[in-house]
């Protein structure tokens, strides 16, 4: 049961929204979404969480995974991500909206607030425990008219379509074919899309024969159940360095076992960043230019044992070809230690082609450095679309869709 030690729920909610608007790096804002988040009581959808936790800007787990090494099965999304994804969705009063990933029911309540009395909201989840939870909280808070269905979100809910808006609150590796027929042409789809080891909230506009993005923002979500096109494996004998890639990529981890024990090649650029400045756009540019782009993670023990530190040990972009690998790295500039630090961006390569791969990463660092806020355009086409009908860019084929990433 929620408990509080001072401020009212309304005060805590307003403080949270104020902080989101002040600190949000997405650059997105919609007064209607702001009003919805100031109105709908998040703590009422998290009755077992302390009220201060309900109004902290963080995700809250509502169903743990029995596998202690795995991610939770369901959680309430971080509020600032909820905010900018709803802005991306641009819900209008009277819209018919479909949500994949019911969670706590909170997001469905926000959607209902945005659609108004004349609109319709349907939320679904494959997990019956999750939909039962969402049904209880929605009913308890006056949202009995929100539909809650238990099914695989990839199937959609054709009986309530066509939809003006669709939103996924789980990480998707593919865009299911059923969605194309259920989302009206001219409608919008917002989805945390995963490719080449990264995840972005992509806002698509549905056009004839394709969906084209107009907003691509950083996010992280639990992956949807049932899409298993991502691969991962350790590339060292001590199981400290792990690689993540897509099934359409030619990555053989066993070829890299010896690479990290060989001499390294470090290449620096003239590009620097501040201590809180995101350089994640480098990864996006790599995914639009280099088919070999994937993700590397390194445990602290790997760095302590002599591995050159990845820019972000928990997740950094890498290029892999055969028995060679390179990845993004950084190093503090030799400036006065009393001033705010800045960091050089560069790349480190291992293996016979490591130096070449590092140079290719640096080329994209420089391209990003000259246009740091530029976003790629992600265009999705049905899987049977011929090459001649695709936009220019890097093509990534999935079972249901062909993605083109371009700048």
């Amino acid at each position: 049961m929620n408990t509080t030690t001072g401020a009212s729920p309304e005060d805590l909610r307003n403080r949270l929204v104020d902080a989101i608007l002040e600190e949000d790096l997405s650059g997105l804002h919609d007064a209607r979404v702001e009003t919805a988040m100031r109105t709908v009581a998040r703590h009422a959808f998290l009755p077992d969480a302390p009220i201060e936790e309900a109004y902290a800007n963080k995700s809250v787990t509502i169903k743990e995974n029995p596998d202690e090494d795995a991610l939770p099965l369901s959680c309430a999304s971080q509020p600032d991500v909820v905010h900018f994804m709803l802005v991306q969705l641009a819900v209008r009063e009277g819209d018919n909206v479909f949500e994949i990933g019911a969670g706590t029911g909170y997001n469905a309540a926000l959607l209902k607030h945005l659609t108004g009395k004349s609109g319709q909201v349907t939320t679904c989840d494959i997990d019956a425990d999750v939909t039962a939870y969402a049904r209880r909280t929605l009913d308890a808070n006056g949202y009995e008219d929100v539909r809650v269905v238990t099914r695989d979100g990839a199937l959609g809910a054709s009986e309530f379509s066509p939809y003006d808006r669709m939103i996924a609150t789980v990480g998707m590796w593919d865009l299911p074919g059923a969605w194309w027929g259920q989302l009206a042409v001219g409608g919008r789809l917002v989805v945390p899309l995963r490719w080449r080891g990264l995840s972005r909230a992509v806002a698509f506009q549905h056009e004839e024969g394709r969906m084209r993005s107009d907003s691509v923002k950083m996010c992280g979500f639990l992956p949807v159940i049932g899409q298993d096109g991502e691969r991962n494996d350790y590339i060292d004998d001590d199981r400290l360095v792990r690689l993540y890639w897509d099934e359409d990529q030619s990555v053989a981890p066993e070829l890299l076992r010896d690479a990290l024990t060989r001499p390294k090649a470090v290449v620096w650029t003239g590009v620097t960043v501040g201590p809180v400045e995101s350089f994640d756009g480098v990864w996006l540019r790599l995914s639009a230019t280099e088919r070999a782009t994937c993700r590397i993670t390194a445990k602290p023990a790997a760095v302590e044992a002599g591995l050159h530190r990845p820019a972000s040990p928990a997740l950094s972009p890498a290029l892999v070809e055969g028995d060679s690998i390179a990845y993004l790295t950084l190093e503090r500039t030799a400036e006065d230690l009393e001033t705010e630090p800045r960091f050089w961006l560069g790349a480190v390569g291992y293996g016979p082609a490591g130096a070449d791969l590092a140079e290719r990463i640096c080329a994209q660092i420089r391209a990003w450095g000259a246009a740091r806020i530029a976003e790629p355009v992600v265009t999705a086409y049905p899987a049977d679309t011929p090459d001649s009908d695709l936009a220019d860019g890097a093509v990534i084929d999935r079972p249901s869709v062909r993605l083109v990433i371009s700048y």
Side-chain angles (χ1 to χ4, degrees):
M1 180 176 293
N2 294 137
T3 58
T4 183
T5 58
S8 69
E10 293 77 13
D11 286 342
L12 292 171
R13 189 157 59 249
N14 283 321
R15 289 179 193 174
L16 171 62
V17 177
D18 288 343
I20 289 172
L21 297 179
E22 181 179 351
E23 300 170 9
D24 183 36
L25 301 178
S26 72
L28 299 176
H29 180 251
D30 182 320
R32 295 183 66 242
V33 174
E34 178 186 345
T35 298
M37 293 191 71
R38 292 189 188 278
T39 303
V40 178
R42 187 176 190 245
H43 73 283
F45 293 85
L46 294 166
D48 295 329
I51 198 163
E52 290 82 4
E53 183 178 357
Y55 288 112
N57 189 23
K58 65 178 184 178
S59 61
V60 179
T61 297
I62 62 169
K63 185 173 183 180
E64 294 284 3
N65 196 313
D67 181 351
E68 61 183 28
D69 293 327
L71 295 169
L73 292 176
S74 184
C75 67
S77 301
Q78 192 164 304
D80 60 349
V81 177
V82 171
H83 169 262
F84 78 68
M85 287 182 67
L86 289 177
V87 177
Q88 286 180 306
L89 193 61
V91 176
R92 304 160 301 184
E93 189 166 347
D95 274 348
N96 184 19
V97 182
F98 182 64
E99 178 189 34
I100 302 96
T104 65
Y106 171 65
N107 205 60
L110 291 168
L111 289 167
K112 183 57 185 170
H113 187 280
L114 292 166
T115 64
K117 292 182 178 180
S118 60
Q120 300 179 67
V121 175
T122 303
T123 186
C124 84
D125 203 284
I126 198 170
D127 190 320
D129 290 341
V130 173
T131 53
Y133 182 110
R135 182 73 277 166
R136 288 195 303 271
T137 57
L138 287 163
D139 288 350
N141 290 283
Y143 296 96
E144 297 91 346
D145 53 350
V146 172
R147 301 187 189 100
V148 181
V149 295
T150 304
R151 69 179 62 169
D152 184 347
L155 302 175
S158 60
E159 64 268 38
F160 306 122
S161 67
Y163 298 104
D164 304 294
R165 300 289 188 267
M166 296 178 72
I167 183 170
T169 56
V170 289
M172 303 295 298
W173 185 80
D174 195 7
L175 298 182
W179 294 4
W180 292 76
Q182 295 180 31
L183 179 63
V185 173
R188 292 181 67 78
L189 165 68
V190 174
V191 54
L193 190 59
R194 303 162 70 90
W195 74 94
R196 301 307 188 237
L198 54 80
S199 177
R200 293 294 177 277
V202 182
F204 289 105
Q205 188 80 12
H206 190 188
E207 305 172 355
E208 288 287 353
R210 68 179 188 179
M211 296 189 196
R212 191 172 188 273
S213 75
D214 56 23
S215 176
V216 179
K217 301 298 180 184
M218 190 187 305
C219 72
F221 276 86
L222 299 177
V224 70
I225 295 173
Q227 293 186 357
D228 56 356
E230 294 176 292
R231 305 286 182 261
N232 70 85
D233 200 355
Y234 291 100
I235 61 172
D236 67 318
D237 293 334
D238 295 323
R239 299 175 65 83
L240 300 175
V241 184
R242 201 169 193 171
L243 206 63
Y244 296 77
W245 69 96
D246 292 327
E247 66 178 9
D248 66 308
Q249 294 176 289
S250 299
V251 174
E254 64 275 9
L255 297 180
L256 296 167
R257 297 290 184 202
D258 296 330
L260 299 183
T261 66
R262 299 182 180 184
K264 64 187 177 184
V266 183
V267 182
W268 295 106
T269 67
V271 179
T272 65
V273 294
V276 296
E277 183 179 0
S278 172
F279 45 83
D280 205 64
V282 175
W283 201 337
L284 285 169
R285 286 190 175 273
L286 284 167
S287 77
T289 56
E290 294 281 357
R291 184 175 178 80
T293 302
C294 52
R295 171 161 62 104
I296 189 172
T297 66
K299 296 178 180 178
V303 178
E304 293 167 5
L307 179 74
H308 199 99
R309 182 186 184 277
S312 173
L315 68 170
S316 287
L319 296 183
V320 172
E321 289 185 352
D323 58 356
S324 300
I325 183 172
Y327 51 84
L328 188 69
T329 188
L330 56 73
E331 182 177 277
R332 182 166 179 166
T333 62
E335 297 176 351
D336 185 348
L337 296 182
E338 298 299 320
T339 64
E340 182 178 80
R342 294 196 65 79
F343 300 86
W344 296 111
L345 292 182
V348 58
Y350 291 90
D356 175 66
L357 294 175
E359 290 283 3
R360 284 155 57 181
I361 291 176
C362 287
Q364 297 310 313
I365 294 173
R366 296 184 187 99
W368 169 80
R372 300 192 180 203
I373 63 172
E375 293 181 349
V377 174
V378 182
T379 310
Y381 299 86
D384 59 357
T385 304
D387 289 350
S388 58
D389 291 346
L390 301 179
D392 293 334
V395 179
I396 301 175
D397 285 315
R398 299 287 160 84
S400 301
V401 73
R402 306 193 76 185
L403 300 174
V404 179
I405 319 296
S406 57
Y407 275 85

